[in-house]
Amino acid sequence: MTDRAPAGYRDTTPLPTGRIALVALFVTALVTAQLTASKLLGFAIPVELPFTGAMLAMPGAALAYAVTFFASDCYSELYGPEEAHKVVNVGFAMNFVMLALVYSTIAAPAAPFSSVDPATFEAVLGASLNIVVASALAYIVSQHWDVRVFHAIRERTGGDRLWLRNVGSTASSQLLDTVIFVGVGFALMPALRGGSPMALNALLGLALGQYLLKLLIAVADTPFVYAVVGYLRSRGSAAAPAARTAD
């Protein structure tokens, strides 16, 4: 099957399916994180940690949001920093499109025979202003930082050690993301709006729980980064000839 443009269209080079899939994965995980942020998760652990005790607590968004760093690292490795920054900016815009669609659905009248109570629908999907501001700020700072650190490590290692730039960039960017999200969403914004900020121990526990999970995912997803990057390169889905990524 040849990639020829249909009659009447300009003959342009089509985007590889793998490239489209990575962008789709990034945006899907991002909007899912926004939709799942209202549920707090609790994971029992076999040891007692400072501030968290024997349970790691975190917003439900932490799971989906960690996937965005997997997708952006794969994309960044294959297509370079400029293209990766574009994806981050497009994702930022799509996040607000999603919010506009959700809030317009909340504002629309419900049918009298709807099985979903409008108040419940709003409570689950309608993120608070505190969370919207915190997540938007954390996203734009941490994602751009991730791309920059990823390629700084790539340059320092001459294209080797993909595992190092995957874990190193995600570890530092997720730390930024966690500090900004927890600090702004649960302390700064409530204080600015006349509410009560979360207690310091609770803030530290929430931040530590999020960060440990995100760091674990960053380490665990490294073989999958190698697999995706290797597969897409073998299919010719890369912006330039691949640099060496052996250890």
Side-chain angles (χ1 to χ4, degrees):
M1 180 178 179
T2 58
D3 291 321
R4 291 183 179 177
Y9 289 84
R10 293 179 60 190
D11 187 12
T12 58
T13 302
L15 286 176
T17 302
R19 185 170 187 171
I20 297 172
L22 284 176
V23 175
L25 176 62
F26 180 88
V27 176
T28 300
L30 178 62
V31 298
T32 300
Q34 187 67 259
L35 292 174
T36 56
S38 60
K39 180 178 180 179
L40 287 178
L41 308 179
F43 294 94
I45 55 177
V47 295
E48 295 270 344
L49 296 177
F51 308 114
T52 68
M55 177 172 288
L56 298 181
M58 66 205 72
L63 295 173
Y65 195 59
V67 176
T68 66
F69 287 90
F70 165 79
S72 67
D73 283 353
C74 290
Y75 196 89
S76 206
E77 174 69 12
L78 290 165
Y79 306 110
E82 290 186 7
E83 293 301 308
H85 283 302
K86 289 178 185 178
V87 172
V88 170
N89 290 332
V90 168
F92 186 70
M94 292 304 102
N95 194 49
F96 287 100
V97 171
M98 182 276 297
L99 288 172
L101 293 172
V102 167
Y103 279 103
S104 64
T105 305
I106 290 172
F113 48 82
S114 174
S115 61
V116 178
D117 176 59
T120 302
F121 184 87
E122 181 176 2
V124 173
L125 295 181
S128 70
L129 178 63
N130 294 356
I131 297 301
V132 169
V133 172
S135 62
L137 182 60
Y139 168 84
I140 201 67
V141 172
S142 64
Q143 291 284 356
H144 281 300
W145 175 267
D146 181 71
V147 174
R148 292 182 183 280
V149 172
F150 185 94
H151 285 280
I153 296 174
R154 194 179 198 281
E155 290 176 6
R156 290 290 184 91
T157 58
D160 291 343
R161 298 181 178 85
L162 175 56
W163 64 269
L164 179 60
R165 53 186 175 274
N166 176 60
V167 176
S169 64
T170 301
S172 61
S173 57
Q174 290 281 29
L175 180 59
L176 269 177
D177 174 80
T178 299
V179 170
I180 293 172
F181 178 75
V182 173
V184 173
F186 298 93
L188 180 60
M189 285 297 292
L192 291 176
R193 301 181 70 198
S196 298
M198 185 180 283
L200 180 59
N201 279 357
L203 283 172
L204 293 174
L206 191 60
L208 183 59
Q210 281 193 72
Y211 185 66
L212 288 178
L213 175 69
K214 293 172 180 177
L215 191 59
L216 178 62
I217 292 175
V219 174
D221 74 14
T222 300
F224 297 97
V225 172
Y226 272 92
V228 170
V229 168
Y231 174 75
L232 292 181
R233 278 183 172 151
S234 73
R235 303 284 295 181
S237 182
R244 204 161 47 92
T245 57
D247 291 334

